[in-house]
Amino acid sequence: MNLILMGLPGAGKGTQAERIEDAYPIAHISTGDMFREAMANGTEMGKQAKGFIDQGQLVPDTVVEGMVKERLAQKDTDQGFMLDGFPRTLAQAEALETITKDLNKPLNAVINIDVKPAVLVERLSGRYICKNCGATYHKLYNPTKVPGTCDRCGGHEFFQRDDDKPATVKNRLKVNIEENTPLIDFYQKRGLLFTVNGDQDIDLVFADVQAVLKKLN
């Protein structure tokens, strides 16, 4: 069972990735972990990537794709894998198609956890911090017990980090939507795309993911 897991920031992709990893004997491959592992192991592609990173440059697609091929060739992917964070572009998706064909490990499904952007803005921009003691809250998931009063120190002044402000969140989502849309079209045309409603309880999202995975067995 070879998968790609997709979802915009705040859609709950990380949580679902953990649950899939716990429930199925497949390798979870996130791009961040893959980079760190390749560089730590001193693989050929890891050395190349480190050279670019050390110079403060972006790692070229050819090197990223080489690292993906190295990783997918490892034995722990023989029972299956789940890619998280790759591909990000159409060119990478096309390269992955070639890689999986060369390794005889074709993709079985692309699971897209779908949540409306307006809901994601609310989720991602809901965090606020006590100016006095630094306690962190969320207006939806972890509000103060008494409105406007910090549970920890009793302070009344709060602030938002720039990354959490609605305008910043909207821009971040816009960039991700622009990246994801061509990929969704690409995998839809290949009959690999399964869309799961991420705007529901975490357990219900995972139940829908499992329903997709059962179809593959």
Side-chain angles (χ1 to χ4, degrees), residues 2-6 82-83 86-87 96 107 109-112 187:
N2 303 327
L3 314 171
I4 293 172
L5 193 61
M6 290 180 63
M82 173 174 55
L83 282 167
F86 184 91
L96 179 62
L107 283 175
V110 176
I111 298 175
N112 180 40
Y187 288 117

Side-chain angles (χ1 to χ4, degrees), residues 57 61 93 113 118-119 146 148 167 174 182 187 197 200 205:
Q57 298 177 14
D61 272 1
I113 301 172
V119 174
V146 178
K174 181 174 177 286
Y187 288 117
N197 176 16
Q200 53 182 338
V205 176

Side-chain angles (χ1 to χ4, degrees), residues 161-207:
R161 291 177 181 158
D162 287 342
D163 283 355
D164 295 332
K165 290 179 179 174
T168 308
V169 168
K170 284 177 185 175
N171 188 57
R172 183 178 165 206
L173 288 173
K174 181 174 177 286
V175 170
N176 276 269
I177 289 167
E178 287 170 357
E179 277 186 348
N180 280 7
T181 300
L183 294 175
I184 288 169
D185 292 343
F186 180 84
Y187 288 117
Q188 197 160 33
K189 285 173 184 171
R190 280 156 177 74
L192 293 170
L193 185 74
F194 296 86
T195 298
V196 169
N197 176 16
D199 189 15
Q200 53 182 338
D201 181 82
I202 290 168
D203 291 338
L204 294 176
V205 176
F206 186 57

